[in-house]
Structures are given as structure tokens and as C-alpha cells.
Amino acid sequence: MTKYFHSVTLEKDKCRGCTNCIKHCPTEAIRVRNGKATIIKERCIDCGECIKVCPYHAKKAVTDSFELVQEYPYKIAIPAPSQYGQFGRDYSRDRILQGLLEIGFDWVLEVSKAAEIVTDATKQMLKSPELKKPVISSACPAVVRLVQVRFPTLIPNLVKIESPMELAARIAKNTAIRDKGIAKEDIGVFFISPCAAKVTSVKAPYEKKESSVNGVLSMKDIHIRLLEKMKNIPADIESPLVCSGYSGVGWARSGGESYALGNEQYLAVHGIHNVIKVLEEIVADRLEGVEFVEALSCTEGCLGGPLTVVNPFVARPNLKWEIKRAKETDFSRENSAKDYQDLLWTEDVEYKPILKLDNDMLKAMKKMQQLEAINEEMPGLDCGACGAPSCRALAEDIVRGLACETDCVFKLREKVSSLADQIKALVQNTKRRNE
Ligand code: SF4
Ligand code: SF4
């Protein structure tokens, strides 16, 4: 039986059953029943859309607490490039990295350094004639999971190279063991994350058996702590921790990975619903002249992650400043991959069907016929009043035995009116008999 871990969860007490979230979920993973939302774990891709739209903050991403960091004798922070967009111009990357030391880490390794190595590996991979085009970036774990559940024919198109986060964690650990002689079990590597999907990819990785990351901290959770410490760090500090160039830093925004690749035949799309439209185009073979697709679940890419602090449109100019500064001291030439084969995924990413009605093929076909017949009778308004995102989703729930036809208000009205007619007829018949 498949085990699921999801960072995105519901705080039941806060949920008011408003149904706001059901329409925004890209995989129809949410239902509202008995006045409370529930998440269907097989369908959820941890994109975090429901966190962003819930007016009552009932959806949240579970991350690790800062206390977990203290459990490791040697603590390493690996900040996502989007971290640099969370502060204004006065807070340079040097200052931010030094700030991470001040809040309690022993060492910091930029994920943007690993992003440059991954870029180089992807460049090598793109030269392979066997590769199915267009190649789809695997930088966003929510998009990889979306492909798994909704676009299985595109699994061969995914770039099956370790993510910058995983690579950074591996480099950080190996360096601490080699250069400082620290025992592996004493090292705790913590990713500072902009999103829930990264938490899930650490706790339940798809590309390898076990993640090299020991914990994931939310950018939001450490923000104030970091800001307070940074205020005491001189604005013009030059930190020896800076080890990546502008191309790695640029990965934080939509189009950044494509820009780093230098491949002009690219398409960069952001926002999960836009991503779905582009993936549909690829499946329908309507995308011409595109070699590489950079698809990121959040608006403006990782800068728009649900665990970030600053609005992505504000974060983008902040990041631009950092990219400008990075261009003046470019390390990116040093961060190359020897051979991309060393960075390939060790596990196979499989299709995870979400519309499997039954394990028995014959029963499944019968249920599908029932589903179509029920759907045919539905009003087709997709109003969401029943707690399912669409009439078809309600029909599916009915076939699965999770809902009934009268959950639909229109069907309920029909039923009530038919019952009323029957009672009326019964009363009239009784009256006639008594006359
Ligand atoms: S948006 Fe969803 S989770 Fe939030 S209160 Fe409404 S039904 Fe509940
Ligand atoms: S995280 Fe995304 S896929 Fe999961 S329930 Fe929320 S909106 Fe749906």
C-alpha cells in the first residue's frame, strides 16, 4: 500500500466550510463535508494553492521547528535562492548569509551554488539525442507530482537530475565530513524553504530513497529572528560564505533556470493553473520549437511560495538587486558538473493514477459507466455548493460511496418537490376515498 506524506494540512477548528479552496485546487483534492474541508491524500500535490486562498488560515504547511536544529552538534543552513528576495536592498546576500550564522548555524551553503551545478548538468543532458523533447524542468516538486498524477505520458520528459536543494545538502555534508572531520550523524542540514512541496520532497522523496536534508524550516518562521540579527551586521560586509554567481541566484524567479541554461528555445510558465494549460499543450503535441519547459507552481516562481514573507512582485526587484551585485563578482564559472550521470535520480518516478475507481478492471469500467450516467443527470453548474469542486467530482464521489445525489442542492430540490407531489396525491386519494 502506498504511504503518503503531505506538508499541507488542515486545521479543522479554523475551517468554516466556506468552500473557497475547492475551486482552486488543481487536482480536485478537496471536499467540504459536514461543514469542514478534507484533503484527499492520493490527489494532493502540496502546491499550497489552498493555503494562499483560505480566508480563515485553516490550511497550513507543516515544517520543522527551530528547536530541531539544536539537536545537531554541527548545524548547516542551506537557504533557497528566494531567501534573497525577502529583504530590501540594504540587506545584501553577504548580510543574509552572515545573519544565518548569527541565528545559530555553524555553516551556510547557498542552494544557488548547487543550482549552477544542476544547470551545467542539464546543459550536458540536453545534448543527448535520446532525450524526449520538450524537456521539462524538475525544479518544482509540485510540478513533478502533478505530472505523476495528471500527465503520466510526460514522465519521460522530466529532467531526472537531483534538485539543487538535495545536491546542496549532499555537498554540505560531504564537505563538513572531509574538511572538518565531523561525524555524519552529528551534522544537521536544514533547508530554508519557500514552499510546502519542498517539505514533502524531503520527507517523502521521489527521486531517491532518502533525502540528504535533515530538516526544513519555513522562511516565514525564521524571518523575524534573522532580521533582528542582521540589523547589527554592517551593511557593507563581504561574507566568505557567498559562493554562487548571478545565474544560481536567478533560479528563485520564473525564467531564472532557463536564463541560466542559455537555451533560447525555452518556455517559462508559472502559476499552477497556467502550468496545467502548458502541459495540456505538450500532451496534445501543439507546442512547436520548444526544447525546454521551466514550469513552476507558484506565481513568479519560488518567490511566490506560500512560506515566503514578501509579495512576489515586491520580492522580484529585491532579487534583481542581488543579481546585479552578483554579476559584479561572478563565481558561476567555478560551479560546474563533472558528469551529469553522477547526479541522476536513483529511483523511478511512477504514474500515480487518481481516478482509479476499482482495482478490478471490470468493476472499474462498470463504475465509470455509473459515473457518466450520474454526471449526465447533474445540473452541470459546477457551483460547489455540494462541497465537491464540480458536478463530475460529485458523481465520482457518489460512485465511490462517499457522497449521495441529494448532496446536490438542485437534486435535493427535485427530490423534495417530487416528495411533496407524492404527499399531495396521497392526501387527495385519501380524501376521495373518505367522501
Ligand atoms: S477555504 Fe477551505 S479550508 Fe479555508 S475555511 Fe473555507 S472550506 Fe475551510
Ligand atoms: S496543496 Fe494543492 S493539491 Fe493539495 S489540497 Fe491544497 S490546493 Fe489541492
Side-chain angles (χ1 to χ4, degrees), residues 8 24-27 29-30 39 43-50:
V8 176
H24 290 84
C25 176
T27 53
I30 310 171
I39 301 174
R43 287 173 175 258
C44 177
I45 58 169
D46 289 279
C47 65
E49 280 297 296
C50 55

Side-chain angles (χ1 to χ4, degrees), residues 117 125 148 157 238 250 278 334-335 407:
I117 300 172
M125 196 186 210
Q148 277 186 287
N157 299 56
E238 283 189 16
V278 168
E334 294 169 27
N335 294 321
D407 283 338

Side-chain angles (χ1 to χ4, degrees), residues 379 381 405-421:
L381 293 172
E405 225 173 28
T406 47
D407 283 338
C408 167
V409 283
F410 297 93
K411 286 279 163 197
L412 182 68
R413 204 164 60 189
E414 267 173 38
K415 191 120 191 168
V416 170
S417 131
S418 138
L419 273 175
D421 288 346

Side-chain angles (χ1 to χ4, degrees), residues 249-265:
V249 174
W251 266 60
R253 60 179 186 191
S254 171
E257 184 186 1
S258 308
Y259 180 73
L261 275 176
N263 186 325
E264 286 186 0
Q265 288 170 280

